[in-house]
Amino acid sequence: MTLKAINAFQEGTYFAQNFEAFVKKVNEEGKGLVQIQYIGGPKAIPTLEQPAALRNGVVDMAATTASYAGGIVPEVQALNYATVPFQELRRNGALDYINQLMAEKNLMYFARTGDGVKYHLYLTKPISRPDLSGLKVRIAPNFREFFQALGATVIQTPPGEVYTALERGVVDGYGWPLLGVFDMGWQQVTKYRVDPGFHNLEMGVQFNLKSWQKLSPEQQTFLERQRDWLERLALEKSMADVAIDLQRQQDAGIQVITFKGEDAQEYLRKSLDTAWAGIIRLSPEHGPKLRELMVAEQ
């Protein structure tokens, strides 16, 4: 069986690398059983069009984020807002719950390829407290409500357009994980990083459900074994790379704005409350149950 795969991120960049390592390993060890035809990144299919292409069977697998699939399955964005470890979500039924909802749209969450990393707000202008009034900020769907609650005017663009938007002043900042800034060259047009970080980086491999169901039990077992390897690799690599990129950002001249005390508490509380309020508003039936399974402290 040959599976056609797409990546939400440009080939070779940080957030593409773990999946590309997975593809290489599957193709080396799965000869005669399973192969992956990797058609590339956003140049093959634009990032924001990939979830629909996956659902419709244009591709069988996508290395993407829950944020980009949120327009099809709103509840999947809850994976960004979990405060318990991902492997616990496998054990306690949260991931099964998500997959029941995804199955209704012919999708399946297969593997986590990014974990243990926080998102941050990056800016070209300084702020002194959690107030983004008057600022235009590039967002992804998973933190739209949060930045709006802080007063920002939010703009959603694919990652490939962010550099130009910053350079031209179309946006004053962006939300992005701690990792991956240098792949995009954004350190050249970024002056500040806001601490503390919020939410959890979620990146993963999603399947077209019918494509998964066409696989034999032997093929599925083989891919699940490769999945376990991928998830270990992703977590170990993230932990090591965080320290490296913190130093790289400092060396690049990115200054740190650190909220403390009540400002920090308000910032983090608002990030979580607005996120889950959005999930519950979009999915009043499933949102509260997902929060119960995914958030350690209510």
Side-chain angles (χ1 to χ4, degrees):
M1 177 72 78
T2 297
L3 300 167
K4 186 180 293 186
I6 192 74
N7 203 316
F9 300 92
Q10 183 179 333
E11 300 98 306
T13 57
Y14 186 85
F15 291 130
Q17 289 171 5
N18 287 341
F19 182 67
E20 290 170 344
F22 170 79
V23 170
K24 183 175 184 290
K25 192 168 186 289
V26 167
N27 287 344
E28 288 175 351
E29 300 179 12
K31 293 176 181 177
L33 187 65
V34 180
Q35 295 286 280
I36 297 175
Q37 179 190 354
Y38 181 43
I39 65 174
K43 291 181 180 178
I45 301 176
T47 297
L48 300 181
E49 296 176 16
Q50 290 181 14
L54 181 65
R55 177 189 59 185
N56 297 332
V58 176
V59 293
D60 303 299
M61 306 170 67
T64 184
T65 76
S67 302
Y68 297 147
I72 298 175
V73 187
E75 296 89 352
V76 76
Q77 292 193 63
L79 289 169
N80 291 285
Y81 314 137
T83 62
V84 300
F86 181 72
Q87 293 306 321
E88 178 61 23
L89 302 183
R90 284 196 185 279
R91 289 190 292 267
N92 72 7
L95 190 61
D96 289 339
Y97 199 130
I98 289 287
N99 269 330
Q100 289 174 16
L101 301 173
M102 294 186 74
E104 296 173 6
K105 302 297 174 64
N106 193 33
L107 296 173
M108 184 186 81
Y109 194 94
F110 178 64
R112 186 78 167 243
T113 62
D115 198 6
V117 180
K118 296 292 186 181
Y119 283 88
H120 288 263
L121 170 63
Y122 296 87
L123 294 168
T124 59
K125 302 175 181 177
I127 58 174
S128 58
R129 55 183 307 275
D131 184 355
L132 302 182
S133 300
L135 297 179
K136 303 181 294 294
V137 180
R138 181 268 177 187
I139 54 94
N142 55 307
F143 42 82
R144 175 189 297 275
E145 287 86 357
F146 176 37
F147 285 174
Q148 285 178 326
L150 294 175
T153 298
V154 299
I155 300 172
Q156 184 171 327
T157 65
E161 298 176 12
V162 173
Y163 186 101
T164 302
L166 289 164
E167 194 175 38
R168 295 178 179 176
V170 175
V171 297
D172 303 305
Y174 56 93
W176 195 256
L178 181 67
L179 303 174
V181 170
F182 289 86
D183 274 338
M184 314 300 289
W186 295 345
Q187 78 281 1
Q188 300 173 22
V189 284
T190 300
K191 294 184 178 179
Y192 305 95
R193 184 188 75 242
V194 175
D195 286 358
F198 61 92
H199 298 171
N200 286 303
L201 168 65
E202 182 286 322
M203 294 181 58
V205 180
Q206 298 178 27
F207 251 96
N208 174 284
L209 182 59
K210 291 180 180 177
S211 297
W212 174 257
Q213 291 171 338
K214 288 177 183 177
L215 295 169
S216 69
E218 182 184 9
Q219 291 166 332
Q220 290 181 353
T221 299
F222 169 76
L223 286 174
E224 286 170 345
R225 189 164 63 249
Q226 303 298 325
R227 173 200 68 194
D228 294 344
W229 171 86
L230 172 60
E231 290 185 343
R232 288 193 301 271
L233 168 75
L235 185 56
E236 291 169 2
K237 191 173 187 298
S238 292
M239 294 300 92
D241 290 345
V242 161
I244 294 171
D245 266 34
L246 281 171
Q247 186 62 51
R248 290 180 74 195
Q249 289 187 20
Q250 180 179 326
D251 293 344
I254 296 176
Q255 301 176 53
V256 181
I257 298 170
T258 303
F259 297 144
K260 298 179 180 178
E262 291 184 5
D263 279 348
Q265 293 176 16
E266 176 193 354
Y267 186 69
L268 293 176
R269 182 172 57 249
K270 190 168 287 187
S271 74
L272 200 61
D273 288 348
T274 55
W276 281 103
I279 293 290
I280 292 169
R281 183 177 64 252
L282 291 170
S283 184
E285 178 183 357
H286 304 295
K289 177 62 175 177
L290 287 170
R291 179 163 186 163
E292 180 181 330
L293 291 169
M294 300 172 84
V295 177
E297 296 182 6
Q298 300 296 315

